Amino acid sequence: MTTSFKGKAIRTDADLLARWRELMGEGGFGRRCLWLIFLNARGRQADLVMPVDEIPMRPDPQEIAGIARFIAMMRDQVGVAEVPLLLSRPGPSEITENDRRWAIALTDALCDQQPRWPIHLATKNRVQVFAPDDLIALDPGA
C-alpha cells in the first residue's frame, strides 16, 4: 500500500495517533495485521505503509526478532529514522491479553532502537495507544 502524506511531520504521540487514525479510517478489520510506517529524521512519513499480514494470536519470538532485524536494516541501510507500529485486529475495542502480549513483545524487542513511540491498536471502532499501564496489566499465568 502506498499513499502520499505531505502533511505535517510526526513529532508527538498525538501526531502519531492522528496519523494512525487517518491511515486506518472507518470500519473494522477482517484479519490480524501489524502495520509499519517509516519516518525520516525530520518526522516526515515515507510514502510506503507496510502491513505484516496474518500475524498469529500470540507473538512468536522468532517473528518478533525478524521484525526487529527488519527495522534495524531499514535504519542502517535505507536511512529510516523511526518505524512506529500499529497492531490491527477484528473485534471489540477492549485490549485483550493477546494484544498486550504483542505490545509487550514489540516494545521489549525495539526499546533500544526506538524508545520514543508507543505501540498502537486499531479495532472495529477505535485506534488507541497501549498506555504503560496496559503493558503491565498482563497475568503471567494466562
Side-chain angles (χ1 to χ4, degrees):
M1 166 194 278
T2 58
T3 51
S4 181
F5 289 96
K6 306 286 188 220
K8 77 178 207 175
I10 298 172
R11 293 194 175 102
T12 67
D13 289 347
D15 293 342
L16 180 57
L17 181 58
R19 181 58 49 86
W20 283 129
R21 286 180 174 150
E22 180 182 6
L23 285 169
M24 294 297 107
E26 297 298 320
F29 296 89
R31 66 186 196 274
R32 297 179 59 77
C33 190
L34 182 67
W35 298 87
L36 293 76
I37 59 175
F38 304 93
L39 306 179
N40 67 19
R42 294 184 316 268
R44 299 276 179 199
Q45 182 183 335
D47 285 342
L48 176 67
V49 176
M50 185 181 147
V52 178
D53 288 323
E54 305 301 327
I55 61 170
M57 291 292 288
R58 288 187 178 212
D60 174 273
Q62 290 180 339
E63 187 166 2
I64 296 293
I67 292 166
R69 282 191 304 275
F70 174 76
I71 290 172
M73 184 268 309
M74 292 296 286
R75 295 182 75 164
D76 294 343
Q77 295 179 13
V78 182
V80 169
E82 298 173 306
V83 184
L85 305 168
L86 174 134
L87 174 67
S88 68
R89 62 160 174 77
S93 61
E94 291 80 19
I95 295 173
T96 68
E97 293 298 309
N98 286 327
D99 297 336
R100 284 187 183 89
R101 289 179 196 288
W102 268 99
I104 290 167
L106 290 166
T107 299
D108 288 349
L110 300 171
C111 65
D112 292 336
Q113 290 188 54
Q114 52 187 40
R116 175 178 170 172
W117 299 117
I119 309 296
H120 286 76
L121 174 68
T123 55
K124 182 177 179 183
N125 299 316
R126 186 173 181 194
V127 177
Q128 61 189 313
V129 68
F130 283 97
D133 288 349
D134 296 325
L135 301 182
I136 60 171
L138 182 64
D139 177 5

